[in-house]
Amino acid sequence: MATAVEPHESHEDSHDDWHHQPFSAHHFDNAEQQFDSGKLGMWLFLVTEILFFSGLFCAYAVYRSTHPEVFIYASQFLDKYLGGMNTIVLIFSSLTMAWAVRCAQLGQRTGLVTLLGVTLFCAALFLGVKTFEYTEKAHKRLLWSGAFVKATDIGKQSQVFEVGKPLPKAEFEDRVMASLDTIKKFWWFACVIPLVLIGIGYGSGSRPWRTTGFAGLISIFGILAGIWISIEIHHAQHAGDHADGHGDSHAVAEHEGEHAEDDHGEHDHAQTAEEKEAAEIDAEALAIQEKIGIEASEAPDMILGEMNNAIPAISTPVVTNSQADAPRNANIFFSIYYFMTGLHAFHIICGMIAITWLMVRSVENHFRPDYFGPVDFVGLYWHIVDLIWIYLFPLLYLIGH
Amino acid sequence: MTQFWNSINPFPGQHSTFASNVDAIFYFTFWLSAFFFVAIVGFMIYFVVKYRRIEGQEPETSPSHNTTIEVAWSVIPGFLVLGIFWWGFTGYVDMRSPPSEAYEVNVIASMWQWQFKYPTGAIAKELHIPVKTPVKLIMQSKDVLHSLYIPSFRTKQDVVPGRYSGMWFEATDVGVYNLFCAEYCGQKHSDMITKVVVHPVTAEDATDEVKETFDAWMEVAADPLKGPGGVVIPLEEAGKNIVEIFQCAQCHSIDGSKKVGPSFKGNFGKEVEIAGQGKVLMDENYIRESILEPTAKIRLGYEPKMPSFKGQMKDEWIDAVIAYIKSIQ
Amino acid sequence: MATDVMPAHSETSRPEDNYLTASKGIMSWLVTLDHKRIGVMYLIGTMTAMFLGGFLALLLRAEHISGTPTFFTHDQYNQLFTLHGAIMVFLFIIPSIPAALGNFILPVMLGAKDVAFPRMNLCSFYLWVIGAIFFICALLTTGLDTGWTFYTPYSTNTSQTNVVLATFGAFILGFSSIFTGLNFIVTIHTMRPPGMTWFRMPLFLWSLYATAIIQVLATPVLGITLLLLAAERMFGLGIFDPKLGGDPVLYQHFFWFYSHPAVYIMILPAMGIISELISTFSRKPIFGYRFIAFSSMAIALLGFLVWGHHMFTSGQSEMVTIIFSVLTFSVSIPSAIKVFNWLATMYKGSIVLATPMCYALSFLFLFTIGGLTGLFLGALATDIHLHDTYFVVAHFHYVMMGGTLVAFIGGLFYWWPKMTGRMYNEFWGQISSLIVFVAFNLTFFPQFVMGSRGMPRRYYNYLPEFQVYHVLSTIGAFLLGFGLLLAAIVLIVSLFKGKKAPANPWGAATLEWQCGSPPPLANFEKTPTVGNPYDMNSVVWDPDTESFIRRGDVPPVTD
């Protein structure tokens, strides 16, 4: 990305050998200068990335210090196991990325392609887990501040929000449901695109198309695997928490439970009511699962089907997580959570595109021991994305744990 | 002499305890800057004339650097500006440390008006304060950022929504001064101007401009139903005062023209069209409801923009407003 | 659009002689990777933006001919000053010197064939174009009435105009600026030819280097701020909205964390240009080279520590306010050093009042006023009175316009022969500088007076006592517009009627004057001799070619 790779231009004048090599840019004197420029450029770009996030870390620090109770309260709704797993996945992908750079330096093409594929899969896995987390939170109405408001004047002022009470059946939930349905339909369609690409690739003998297709397939399966693993982790945790053990908004229940045990005796009633409701939902989900009788791992579309069931149905919004004992402005935490993780996820997606590009080029055998700059630079980028997550994880997930 | 000085003085008159210090820092900085400016431009012009290029004559060589001189002209201005900083800093600390016995006024800024509320319950659209008394303003904003600025007092403070901002000052002279909003706040930002009226504390300090003492003003202001000396005034007149205090004229005209809200004139006793509810008679009940619950019945063709005055307007005041509206039909 | 600047070169024997004639057709410009052509395209773009912004400014001043509504409504006025500010800041001043002049001059001055990443350079230009389109769309649809600072909560909750569109425009322009800065840093680090050591770099390059550091470090923070602002407005994120628990003052901190360093993005390259102009036209090595170079770096770094002085009355804590005040004064020192060194350079020189030098001397005069009035605003007690008044408006126009714009025009006149291969009419050039100088003072000096008398800024109507100053200012503004137009006409006429420019018309010793005018495609036909960039003795006037040429008998000075 930061490298200036120019098509070779034929100059009559007395250039040395280096200028006749495929990816040498004419305005550099030698390969070393080209590599150094690229590397410095990449480092500077990474500095801008860090500063980009630093604004958000500042906002985090400000609100964490002015509203500590909000952070302690709200972070309990994040699933540290899912976050932890994502952390491991990303650290592992950094390893494979670094290894891929080494392969590029040594000219090992097969190793390079394989390791890039693994990195891509890990990235997709991360996104899958994130998809599950976002969906689950949306269903529990754990959203940013403005999501609990209504437009004052539909039409002219529809973008302007004012504080209001949570709506009994908010519009955004329908949107979330709709978007999940879209994913459900879309994943087949999403597979079609890479398959077509592969087909074109084989048909026309174009390796770049083919490679792009395979990278797309890896990404789709990575995402689906991430969603599936999330559901499994979610269930496993719930089995530990409750005897009847099936997925629902366990975090809420857990939280409620803690409060009940601690000092809020009056919450007992609410808790029972809620658990009862949760159990009903569980039973329903279980029934559907049994009726279908398919293990989630067997068919990816069932994963999505089950995911919808693993989350309480839309008609029974779990606002019961007692808005009453939530600290004022608790949603500011989720504003920050969604913005930071969302921006990070966007960087993951950019990284996946870059890795796909690298895969295409490495299959084409572009990288050699004296020209591996792009792999190195994307590698640096990937480590930074990883590093940012390593900060985000404890700052968001591990407060008060 | 004074008049001449005033005409070239770059400042408005000094009318608060801060003003003389602020002006002193200003003039110190001004003369210091003027010295450097004249020196720099003087040398520049001198060099241009003296060392102008003459064909065929190469310049004589001169040193390309001189560390002693360069360090000197880095360090000396450094000390000078630190001096300015120190003076400005001490002045600032005074401005931000209100004395504990200060007279407190609550300020509510909204687009695009000021409202001043006094401990006695009086409400005014101009800031009335006693002379030679420390006054502390406790300010809040209903909507966006505003900034309360009184040039004659040399003081200014932003009003930030969602928190209280404070400022204080002590007026030294009886008189009427400008009060501006200095932070851009939308369409009519430049109309968000009002006056500061500094009242004498005792009658002998009165000037032609401000005759009332602060207590006399307060007596009237605290009860809009009464005139000076506690005399009961006609209800319509009291209503007019109240309409003025609450600045109803910002949205309601008294000549029948359409503003943000419907006009006071020409509607009373008539059937008016309500959005989505057919027609209702505009009578005493309708006015009362509109003041207390403005969104209950919205006139067709108008936006639900009016704030509720519940808890702000007493019942007798509403009666007076109704009387006033009746009187201008 | 790009074809306008291509002079007819019928007399040249080889059309591939220089970068303008190396290839033909509009596409050869639109997809060019040549830094010189990109610089020229930037020049056309930023000048267009400047005249648009200037036109809006004249409308603003026209409105102020009286204190009551004159030509426009409240809303129109608010949109005018917002768009004037936003266009001038984001579309003109920030990219003007680095992206237009810098792009053209930097590699040539450095002795490199191009910038390190030519594609990124072109991408930066197109990002500028896209950002400009966003702004124009905002202008043509609903306008924008938030002030160029987009202060919350007005911008997120109240304004009825298309804030999101303009915000994305500014966001994209930010990336354009980052790419330029990144390119410059890498170019200066890795592309220096043999012999070009750090302390043989001309001071313009030092200033561009310092600018680039600010661009790379500060602009991302603006980016995230604008994203948060857009998310706030579209989704009600709540970070800046007091109704949702957010803090509007936090927005101001974020905004000024970028926008104060951005002030130095604007002024530092201008200072670099002045260093070149004064030394060349005094025919003297610059006095105190290292002090000037280091003061550029010092300004770049200190510039990051003073943003809070925009917020002395905003309600930030008193301690923070005091710290920012003392840091603010510290940043005045490096600027003072530069002014003193420029004066010392003129001492015992051989000064010629060519057009660029006239602009440079105007700069010295105006920038000194601009800088010194900063002291009034840095001192806390006086700032409380002067903040958000016309005093501030006058102060930053003296620095941004009297400083940056005047230096930009000076630099443009200076490098114009190099860029186009044409000499302009010297007499009319000098006249334009005189008009600009006089009109500028007439426009903005009255604003100091009315500001200190308490005239708040961004006021549509004003009280009658301010009218005399407003009228003076308005007359000055129209005269200023005329002066700038005259400068533009002088330059444009030169394209058609100007004499052919020699390689080195001014007698400067920096490398860009060693190649032809205009430079060939690869900048240098033979590798340039790198020596002391301010060794004026190394060039002599050659009456035969009517140009300065390198003297054969003088050995290159090694520092």
Side-chain angles (χ1 to χ4, degrees), chain C residues 145-172:
Chain C
D145 70 348
T146 59
W148 77 277
T149 50
F150 302 115
Y151 267 16
T152 55
Y154 184 76
S155 60
T156 52
N157 293 21
T158 315
S159 174
Q160 298 289 320
T161 57
N162 216 331
V163 179
V164 172
L165 206 60
T167 308
F168 276 120
F171 180 79
I172 291 166

Side-chain angles (χ1 to χ4, degrees), chain B residues 1-65:
Chain B
M1 185 62 201
T2 322
Q3 205 177 0
F4 170 73
W5 177 240
N6 278 341
S7 67
I8 60 158
N9 180 7
F11 278 117
Q14 302 176 349
H15 300 295
S16 80
T17 49
F18 309 134
S20 62
N21 189 38
V22 170
D23 291 6
I25 303 170
F26 186 95
Y27 283 116
F28 173 73
T29 316
F30 175 77
W31 288 116
L32 190 72
S33 305
F35 168 76
F36 275 100
F37 175 71
V38 169
I40 288 168
V41 173
F43 273 114
M44 185 178 96
I45 293 170
Y46 174 72
F47 289 160
V48 167
V49 176
K50 164 106 183 181
Y51 302 115
R52 65 188 179 278
R53 184 170 299 180
I54 296 159
E55 280 312 319
Q57 192 179 318
E58 284 292 306
E60 52 181 310
T61 46
S62 55
S64 67
H65 67 95

Side-chain angles (χ1 to χ4, degrees), chain A residues 1-4 42 45 350 354 357 374 377-378 381, chain C residues 120:
Chain A
M1 24 184 353
T3 48
M42 197 63 211
F45 178 70
C350 291
W357 173 69
F377 309 148
V378 173
Y381 171 83
Chain C
M120 200 156 119

Side-chain angles (χ1 to χ4, degrees), chain C residues 109-263:
Chain C
M109 222 177 197
L110 196 66
K113 291 195 193 86
D114 205 324
V115 291
F117 310 120
R119 286 184 183 182
M120 200 156 119
N121 204 12
L122 185 67
C123 172
S124 157
F125 173 71
Y126 281 111
L127 285 178
W128 183 90
V129 171
I130 295 168
I133 289 172
F134 269 88
F135 264 93
I136 302 299
C137 286
L139 179 105
L140 293 181
T141 53
T142 54
L144 181 70
D145 70 348
T146 59
W148 77 277
T149 50
F150 302 115
Y151 267 16
T152 55
Y154 184 76
S155 60
T156 52
N157 293 21
T158 315
S159 174
Q160 298 289 320
T161 57
N162 216 331
V163 179
V164 172
L165 206 60
T167 308
F168 276 120
F171 180 79
I172 291 166
L173 290 169
F175 273 91
S176 162
S177 178
I178 290 175
F179 284 176
T180 303
L182 201 155
N183 227 331
F184 284 2
I185 295 181
V186 176
T187 308
I188 287 175
H189 268 275
T190 62
M191 308 277 287
R192 279 174 288 127
M196 178 60 88
T197 58
W198 280 94
F199 289 107
R200 276 193 197 160
M201 284 199 327
L203 288 165
F204 183 51
L205 297 188
W206 270 104
S207 73
L208 283 179
Y209 181 69
T211 309
I213 288 177
I214 309 177
Q215 285 177 308
V216 167
L217 293 185
T219 320
V221 179
L222 177 76
I224 196 69
T225 310
L226 294 175
L227 275 191
L228 283 168
L229 183 77
E232 180 84 59
R233 190 171 163 94
M234 290 192 294
F235 310 119
L237 194 67
I239 303 261
F240 301 135
D241 185 351
K243 284 178 184 161
L244 300 174
D247 184 0
V249 178
L250 183 68
Y251 172 81
Q252 297 178 25
H253 278 292
F254 277 6
F255 182 80
W256 288 113
F257 182 83
Y258 163 76
S259 294
H260 193 75
V263 168

